[in-house]
Amino acid sequence: AIIPIGVYMKYNLSPLSAFRMGYAYTTYDVDDFGEKIIYHVIDVDFMYNLSSYLYGHNAKRMMNVSAVIGGGYIRASLSGEKMDVWKGQLGLNFDFKPSPSTHLFVEPYVEAMKGRANLAVSSKTYRDVVYGVKAGFGVQFNSRNDSLKNINYDGKIFIEGGQGITLLSSDDIGRG
């Protein structure tokens, strides 16, 4: 299991949709090598609010569920070896708002990668599958110049910090 730490910025395009960009950093020890694999990850996601679609937009709703689809880039490194990997991802984001300007989220996801992100596996597999759960806390900021002032539920910009657990399997899809 891998424990990534990330920072995300989400921009609400409409009551139904949002655009999210993120950066995550992960490192874990590799027993066979006595070293660490380091991952730098950049994600770009489109989020579609299923709660608003099914039940109508309600700015004061305490819980929302959104479908997430996106792509990303991973820079993996181990013992001087570096690998650049492109990926696609799907997930479900469960978002709970304890106050008008904050939210907690849990997001199970699955990712498919074109390339071998797990450098610790010495196989000829060139596709990896990753699945896991992100969880975090978000703060909503004003979308105008006074960006540190909290606003109502209909604000557009959210800054999120997250942490989660990721499981990586290099042999799930097959050979490239």
Side-chain angles (χ1 to χ4, degrees):
I2 304 168
I3 309 293
I5 297 173
V7 176
Y8 309 92
M9 186 170 110
K10 182 170 81 172
Y11 181 80
N12 290 332
L13 300 168
S14 74
L16 289 175
S17 61
F19 175 74
R20 181 177 68 180
M21 291 183 63
Y23 168 79
Y25 173 81
T26 303
T27 182
Y28 71 96
D29 294 323
V30 181
D31 294 332
D32 296 341
F33 295 94
E35 296 190 31
K36 291 184 177 191
I37 292 182
I38 298 170
Y39 292 109
H40 296 276
V41 182
I42 296 173
D43 288 323
V44 177
D45 298 316
F46 176 77
M47 303 176 75
Y48 190 78
N49 190 323
L50 299 172
S51 300
S52 290
Y53 174 75
L54 294 172
Y55 305 109
H57 175 64
N58 179 352
K60 295 183 181 179
R61 182 179 288 126
M62 296 297 290
M63 176 147 181
N64 286 292
V65 178
S66 296
V68 180
I69 185 169
Y73 167 79
I74 299 173
R75 173 67 159 210
S77 62
L78 170 67
S79 302
E81 180 183 1
K82 295 188 182 336
M83 182 71 68
D84 296 317
V85 180
W86 294 98
K87 65 177 182 154
Q89 55 214 21
L90 295 171
L92 275 178
N93 182 285
F94 298 89
D95 188 77
F96 173 72
K97 295 180 181 173
S99 77
S101 61
T102 61
H103 68 264
L104 303 169
F105 69 92
V106 175
E107 184 178 316
Y109 65 92
V110 63
E111 298 174 345
M113 300 177 196
K114 179 65 176 153
R116 186 172 59 95
N118 189 356
L119 298 175
V121 176
S122 59
S123 74
K124 295 186 179 183
T125 300
Y126 293 103
R127 297 183 188 127
D128 284 335
V129 173
V130 173
Y131 45 94
V133 176
K134 298 175 190 172
F137 176 77
V139 177
Q140 178 178 344
F141 293 99
N142 192 335
S143 58
R144 296 180 186 88
N145 290 335
D146 53 345
S147 62
L148 297 178
K149 182 180 174 187
N150 290 331
I151 58 172
N152 63 25
Y153 280 96
D154 290 324
K156 295 193 178 277
I157 295 179
F158 287 83
I159 304 295
E160 301 172 335
Q163 189 167 11
I165 185 165
T166 300
L167 303 172
L168 185 108
S169 176
S170 292
D171 295 318
D172 287 349
I173 292 181
R175 301 198 183 279

